[in-house]
């Protein structure tokens, strides 16, 4: 209850806490097997290395790290970030093209702040990442879903929707998408950059899962086809080093970066210097590539274990078969309601996220998202066994 006379801002009309955060509250049950969150595995978090790096950073540059820093970033981190980007991507990038973010989540917030007015249209995949959908809603954006298939958004549908709705932004997760795990086909990437240029909107490419690839070849990000500065690329160290450090980055045209930096000043002034200093050393020492190589096999085994369990699910169960990332998206036969069954699943000790919350238009109650990274192989087998039995009973 609010104190008397106090009212919420209009922009919060219809905004409730994230469904996933609400689900986390149910997960206090001891021993619960959670396929719900999107956390990396605890085994993949390099706490000992980070302890050493933070000590080293504070001993060598502690006064600067503990002081206020620049919104544009901690200078040594900017250097190592640029080197990392140049080594791994083929888009040109200079210091004025990057902005460190307190998690890439901050990127969409800053872009909304700088580029959108209430009632503007933003095109999104359907389903899409709940967290950023929430941000778009807080900025009172009109979310319009774009039709997709197994290979991501359909170009014809995208172009028609663009012509009809004149969007400010397209928000897209091309690789190992959250929640589906699917990847935008290689041949659909360049046309999206061209469309953004032709029709004059920003394509916001959110790419936190790129490096978690367990099969197949790397695909160029849409940003690599961008010759007109219409693509904003967002990367994150959350899934490959640590989400708790809250470090991501935006790559864009210098004017876009400068405006977002002004917006960032009123959000958090700057991203934690210590976090930037630790990741700077992580990159400088060449620790990232071996760390990723070390964590991939465990994730691959977990993905495969979950996929093989899904093979034994009731007839009519459909699911994505991702080549990377952290999620599998499941569609049970029509009539099944993943939200209704959720309580029974939790009572039996297993949690997932009902898929409906990821759809801007709602519906799709027969769908659910499963995360495999944050459970052990044994938990995957046990938990999926419980779900199979429960789902089968609900369908009969
Ligand atoms: C598509 C997508 N974007 C961004 C994020 C958040 O990244 P960060 O921790 O860098 O804010 C997530 C995390 O789940 C995500 O799935």
């Amino acid at each position: 209850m609010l104190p008397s006379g106090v009212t919420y801002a209009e922009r919060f009309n219809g905004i409730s806490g994230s469904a996933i955060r609400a689900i986390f509250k149910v997960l206090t049950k001891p021993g619960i097997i959670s396929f719900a969150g999107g956390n990396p595995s605890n085994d993949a978090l390099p706490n000992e290395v980070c302890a050493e790096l933070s000590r080293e950073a504070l001993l060598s540059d502690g006064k600067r790290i503990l002081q206020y820093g620049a919104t544009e970033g901690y200078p040594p981190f900017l250097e190592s970030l640029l080197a990392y980007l140049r080594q791994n991507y083929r888009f040109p990038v200079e210091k004025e093209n990057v902005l460190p973010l307190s998690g890439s989540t901050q990127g969409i917030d800053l872009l909304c702040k700088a580029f959108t007015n209430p009632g503007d249209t933003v095109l999104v995949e359907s389903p899409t990442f709940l967290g950023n959908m929430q941000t778009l809603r807080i900025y009172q954006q009109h979310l319009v879903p774009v039709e997709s298939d197994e290979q991501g958004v359909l170009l014809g549908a995208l172009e028609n929707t663009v012509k009809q709705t004149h969007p400010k932004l397209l928000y897209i997760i091309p690789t190992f998408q959250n929640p589906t795990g699917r990847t935008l086909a290689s041949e659909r990437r360049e046309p999206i950059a061209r469309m953004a240029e032709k029709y004059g909107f920003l394509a916001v490419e959110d790419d936190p899962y790129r490096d978690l690839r367990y099969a197949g070849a790397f695909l160029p990000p849409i940003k690599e086809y961008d010759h007109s500065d219409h693509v904003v690329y967002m990367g994150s160290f959350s899934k490959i080093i640590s989400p708790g450090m809250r470090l991501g980055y935006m790559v864009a045209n210098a004017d876009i970066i400068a405006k977002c930096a002004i917006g960032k000043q009123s959000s958090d002034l700057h991203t934690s210097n210590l976090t930037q200093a630790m990741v700077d050393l992580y990159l400088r020492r060449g620790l990232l590539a071996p760390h990723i190589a070390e964590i991939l096999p465990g994730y691959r085994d977990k993905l495969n274990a979950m996929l093989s369990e899904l093979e034994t699910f009731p007839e009519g169960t459909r699911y994505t078969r991702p080549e990377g990332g952290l999620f599998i998206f499941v569609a049970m036969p029509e009539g099944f309601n993943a939200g209704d069954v959720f309580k029974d699943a939790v009572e039996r000790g297993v949690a997932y996220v009902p898929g409906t919350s990821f759809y801007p238009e709602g519906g799709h109650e027969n769908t659910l998202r499963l995360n495999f990274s944050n459970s052990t192989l044994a938990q995957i087998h046990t938990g999926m066994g419980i779900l199979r039995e429960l789902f089968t009973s609900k369908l009969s």
Side-chain angles (χ1 to χ4, degrees), residues 122-130 133 137 142-146 355-364:
V122 176
L123 304 188
V124 293
E125 294 162 282
S126 178
T128 189
F129 172 43
L130 194 56
M133 197 155 55
R137 286 188 170 135
H142 178 223
L143 303 190
V144 177
V146 181
T356 184
S357 353
F358 301 102
Y359 287 90
E361 72 278 26
H364 305 267

Side-chain angles (χ1 to χ4, degrees), residues 103-105 129 132 171 173 178 206 208-209 236 238-239 246 327:
S104 60
T105 298
F129 172 43
N132 283 350
Y171 171 65
I173 311 155
N178 181 0
D206 191 12
Y209 299 107
S236 174
S238 285
K239 313 294 175 175
R246 309 305 303 128
F327 307 108

Side-chain angles (χ1 to χ4, degrees), residues 33-35 39-45 212 214 294-310 320 322-328 370-382 384:
I33 296 174
S34 175
F35 301 139
N39 295 3
S41 167
N42 279 348
D43 297 343
L45 302 177
L212 297 181
Y214 319 127
E294 199 182 312
I295 64 177
L296 288 187
Y299 282 172
R300 182 183 296 119
D301 289 349
K302 290 176 183 185
L303 168 65
N304 289 336
M306 197 171 258
L307 286 172
S308 72
E309 289 290 344
L310 278 164
T320 55
E323 292 190 329
L326 302 181
F327 307 108
I328 300 173
L370 296 173
N371 163 265
F372 53 84
S373 57
N374 203 25
S375 304
T376 62
L377 281 175
Q379 286 171 326
I380 290 174
H381 290 299
T382 308
M384 292 299 283

